[in-house]
Amino acid sequence: MEAKKKVLTRRDFLVSAGGAAAGLALATSGLGILAPKAEGATIDLPDYPWTEYFNKPLDVEAVRELGAKYYGEGLGCAEGAFRALLESLGEPFSFVPSQIMNFGKGGVVAWGTLCGALNGAAAAVSLVFGGQQMAAIVNELMAWYSATALPLTHEHRSVAGNPLCHASIANWCKVSGKKSSERGPRCKALTGDVAAQAALYMNQMLEGTFVPVFEMSEETKACFDCHVGGFADDTLGKMDCKGCHEGH
Ligand code: HEC
Ligand code: HEC
């Protein structure tokens, strides 16, 4: 069993492809129905964690372009960001079907919850790093997204205040004067930016230079300390409370 757990290498792939070519030869001789097909080849994915397969820094700008490209091709923000990172990471990451993240678009099929670009990028981070490293990167990505005017290079930039698609789109409509239905080019650029930011953090983690810089505001920290695990201990979350609640 253990011996079978290996990454499908290019050579293995060529062997399968050779099998298909042989099948094709058989097909012309009328015996093709018995020949194996390359598409039917099983890929044995390696055991987790896959951290060791991330061994050279990602090209952050290439990830940004890919994220925008895949959004532009209709994959949506979540699958777009996920796929841009998987493809840049290469094998075995690229064997994971990106469609698994398609549900994330529009903050989970247009529910406006977690921004899909964040969802997809975080999923890719989670394939690379486990446990605390994953949590540190995703935490920073969530905080960066909440506090940064996005998209980075778009003519209209807005701060979401939290990681919700709902707030992100609403604030962008307010700043830009545009309709939500006109968000395509904006979400396209944002998908690239979020995937690129995740790539940047992963590179820093790889190189041992990752240092989180975002901190909860003093105000939110006070609410958090009491309501999340503190005296009141009656809710969960790190979002800026004032975005939705009055103080008391
Ligand atoms: C010293 C502890 C403490 C701090 C600090 C604190 N709260 Fe509360 N909060 C409570 C308690 C106790 C209640 C009443 C019981 C409950 O709902 O848990 C409450 C109630 C609430 C409620 C329920 C509705 C209401 O008004 O009764 C909300 C919402 C809330 N707090 C939000 C916040 C926010 C936002 C902040 C920061 C700006 C904050 N709290 C700071 C202890 C605290
Ligand atoms: C994106 C909006 C949003 C943010 C940000 C947010 N909350 Fe809430 N919160 C809600 C909603 C929605 C409810 C459910 C309210 C309801 O059903 O009446 C809720 C409920 C609560 C309640 C219970 C309210 C009650 O009536 O008893 C507390 C306490 C609370 N939130 C505290 C916080 C604290 C503290 C923060 C910051 C760390 C925070 N919330 C951030 C939306 C938000």
Side-chain angles (χ1 to χ4, degrees), residues 218-227 230-235 240-242 244-248:
E218 287 297 316
E219 198 177 26
T220 295
K221 179 124 190 1
C223 324
F224 176 92
D225 283 347
C226 205
H227 280 284
F231 171 72
D233 191 17
D234 59 355
T235 189
D240 175 11
C241 320
K242 286 293 189 69
C244 304
H245 297 289
E246 301 282 328
H248 59 91

Side-chain angles (χ1 to χ4, degrees), residues 43-165:
I43 297 168
D44 286 325
L45 294 173
D47 284 332
Y48 287 100
W50 289 357
T51 314
E52 65 185 285
Y53 297 99
F54 173 47
N55 48 27
K56 61 173 196 321
L58 296 165
D59 179 340
V60 173
E61 293 314 311
V63 169
R64 194 186 314 277
E65 272 175 37
L66 273 180
K69 173 176 165 260
Y70 286 136
Y71 181 98
E73 289 176 6
L75 273 59
C77 46
E79 185 182 346
F82 186 59
R83 183 160 186 156
L85 285 162
L86 292 191
E87 194 174 302
S88 303
L89 285 160
E91 298 169 5
F93 305 98
S94 55
F95 291 140
V96 177
S98 62
Q99 289 83 350
I100 202 167
M101 289 311 298
N102 191 260
F103 75 91
K105 58 192 165 192
V108 181
V109 293
W111 275 68
T113 64
L114 178 60
C115 164
L118 279 174
N119 204 348
V125 172
S126 203
L127 271 180
V128 178
F129 295 104
Q132 291 183 346
Q133 287 180 313
M134 175 281 292
I137 293 177
V138 174
N139 192 70
E140 191 70 358
L141 194 62
M142 297 280 278
W144 166 82
Y145 178 98
S146 302
T148 306
L150 296 172
L152 293 174
T153 55
H154 199 260
E155 87 175 287
H156 303 291
R157 301 176 59 193
S158 54
V159 179
N162 59 45
L164 300 178
C165 168

Side-chain angles (χ1 to χ4, degrees), residues 21-51:
L24 201 65
L26 284 173
T28 38
S29 72
L31 296 167
I33 198 151
L34 299 171
K37 289 204 179 92
E39 305 89 89
T42 312
I43 297 168
D44 286 325
L45 294 173
D47 284 332
Y48 287 100
W50 289 357
T51 314

